[in-house]
Amino acid sequence: QVQLAESGGGLVQPGGSLRLSCAASASALDYYAIAWFRQAPGKEREWVSCIRGAFTYTGASVQGRFAISRDMRKRMVYLQMNSLNFEDTATYYCATQNQCSDSNPFLAWGQGTQVNVSL
């Protein structure tokens, strides 16, 4: 059974950093790509980043600021977010995909973690 649980969100000032964590079940890590997506109130879901094996992918809006990584031994996937701005405010979810792509559906996701960028 695929299980995902996000943590690490919070309040941060513009220009600051946060690292989000996703605790993933073995079945999730072994068989799927793990992606991060975000959703802000009134906005569509946005694919942010994804990792599968040695390959990582990052969306254009966060390119150069966000980085995804994983620790297979700990069964964790991380999203390091730097140079945060107001537009990054959203609920962030980790999710499984069959392949890393902003057009592939998300198969399962956790409860989300809230990121607020504010003065």
Side-chain angles (χ1 to χ4, degrees):
Q1 181 178 358
V2 170
Q3 293 183 321
L4 302 157
E6 306 89 341
S7 61
L11 176 64
V12 61
Q13 292 185 340
S17 297
L18 278 177
R19 189 177 80 156
L20 305 184
S21 299
C22 173
S25 61
S27 56
L29 284 170
D30 290 345
Y31 298 110
Y32 298 99
I34 305 297
W36 287 93
F37 71 88
R38 65 187 182 184
Q39 189 160 25
K43 294 187 177 180
E44 292 190 355
R45 186 180 289 181
E46 180 185 6
W47 182 89
V48 172
S49 191
C50 186
I51 187 167
R52 181 159 188 152
F55 299 96
T56 63
Y57 306 85
T58 305
S61 67
V62 302
Q63 185 74 42
R65 300 188 297 121
F66 290 13
I68 191 170
S69 62
R70 70 180 188 179
D71 185 328
M72 291 295 285
R73 184 177 61 84
K74 295 182 179 180
R75 301 204 188 281
M76 296 292 291
V77 177
Y78 304 102
L79 184 68
Q80 179 65 44
M81 308 187 297
N82 300 324
S83 301
L84 287 160
N85 57 55
F86 297 121
E87 289 71 33
D88 296 317
T89 293
T91 303
Y92 286 71
Y93 301 84
C94 64
T96 54
Q97 290 187 291
N98 283 325
Q99 296 292 338
C100 285
S101 169
D102 60 359
S103 60
N104 276 1
F106 301 112
L107 306 175
W109 52 91
Q111 80 286 352
T113 187
Q114 180 67 37
V115 172
N116 289 310
V117 183
S118 180
L119 293 170

